[in-house]
Amino acid sequence: MMRAALLHACGAAPAVGDRAVPVPADDEILVRVTAASITPLDLLCASGTSYFGVPATPYVPGVQGVGVRDDGTAVWFPTTAGMRPGDGSLAEYAAVRAADTVALPDGVDHQLIAALGLSAVAAQLALTWRGELRPGERVLVLGAGGVVGQAAVRLALLAGAGTVIAAARSAAARQRAAQAGAAVVVPLEDGDDVARLAARLRAAAGGPVDLVLDPLFGIPAAAALRTLRPGGRLVNLGGAAGETAPLDSATLRAGSLRILGYTNNELTSVQRSEALTLIAAHAAAGRLTVDHETVRLHDIATAWHRTDRRIVVIL
Ligand SMILES: NC(=O)c1ccc[n+]([C@@H]2O[C@H](COP(=O)([O-])OP(=O)(O)OC[C@H]3O[C@@H](n4cnc5c(N)ncnc54)[C@H](OP(=O)(O)O)[C@@H]3O)[C@@H](O)[C@H]2O)c1
């Protein structure tokens, strides 16, 4: 038997309990888990309200993790917990598809890789693949104090962006965005309307922006569109500020703008693996980090619904 986080009821926090050590299928390997994060996707799946449907309970949540193979190699791995039947990463052991594991550099910080994980993959590929970021371009990152946002600020600079402007809500989030390397950090206020926020973003940017990285949608996305140069792009990968946004036709058509959607679910295993390998190399070299807090497995119930910062569970 092993210790595991067990989600008994959708919407509630998991409890710690005993679970049989999983037996890997033919295409799987057993990984001894060292660290796994709690992400918005985990909460969405465990709420029972995601577009993947209501998961059968009890199950072990955790859509990604870091651990060690039986030959001692450190790996990052994804799971489909909460999206398809089966257990995830928040347990002492996980059975994972061998082809989906990504070998990590020697000595890399497992907790940092767990914190970055798929959030950083989304930031990297939304910028460079979907967003076609070019060296020297000016990038505006919305929600830049979140994990996707912090990673996007740093990864845009590492990919050669000329300037990164950030926008974030709380004081703590603005500080995280500045630490990630944003040249200017614009506050997002609760009472903002599109015109007022657009004016503030344009003044801070000091010139047209080429690419917006948008995990928020809602009013911030509508305002950010008004900062783009003609032909500029906005890549949306989340709806933290709203499922809908008050976009105006005049802004869109006058600038021939492009609004693009992004999801990690579209990636091939190779794309995901290559992005994670790059992220792990940046992290191992000290070029990429993200704010996070570690908790032990027995504290998972109190940590589960926290949204103030990324929580990494150590096993
Ligand atoms: N498409 C994909 O493949 C993909 C992959 C990863 C993540 N995502 C999505 O991207 C979003 C961000 O993910 P994350 O991992 O960065 O989450 P996170 O670390 O929890 O960050 C969320 C950020 O959103 C901000 N926020 C929340 N509500 C807001 C509002 N009403 N106005 C302005 N800012 C608001 C928060 O600001 P404060 O810090 O001020 O509270 C926080 O910084 C989530 O919706 C997630 O589901 C999508």
Side-chain angles (χ1 to χ4, degrees), residues 40 119 122 145-148 169-170 173 176 215-216 237 240-241 262-264 310:
S119 302
V147 176
V148 168
R169 187 174 58 168
S170 63
R176 291 195 288 266
L216 300 181
L237 42 66
Y262 173 88
T263 172
N264 277 339
R310 180 58 35 95

Side-chain angles (χ1 to χ4, degrees), residues 51-129:
Y51 48 84
F52 302 106
V54 181
T57 53
Y59 77 99
V60 176
V63 298
Q64 57 187 319
V66 177
V68 182
R69 298 176 61 143
D70 57 5
D71 66 359
T73 314
V75 290
W76 175 91
F77 61 89
T79 85
T80 55
M83 296 176 268
R84 290 194 215 139
D87 283 348
S89 58
L90 285 160
E92 289 176 310
Y93 290 92
V96 300
R97 263 172 43 93
D100 288 341
T101 62
V102 179
L104 297 173
D106 284 343
V108 75
D109 178 344
H110 288 202
Q111 294 157 27
L112 174 57
I113 298 299
L116 287 162
L118 288 167
S119 302
V121 168
Q124 171 68 15
L125 292 178
L127 285 166
T128 60
W129 178 52

Side-chain angles (χ1 to χ4, degrees), residues 258-281:
R258 285 185 282 156
I259 300 178
L260 306 157
Y262 173 88
T263 172
N264 277 339
N265 293 336
E266 187 196 356
L267 303 179
T268 64
S269 184
V270 171
Q271 276 179 306
R272 187 177 56 204
S273 171
E274 285 177 357
L276 208 289
T277 300
L278 178 74
I279 285 155

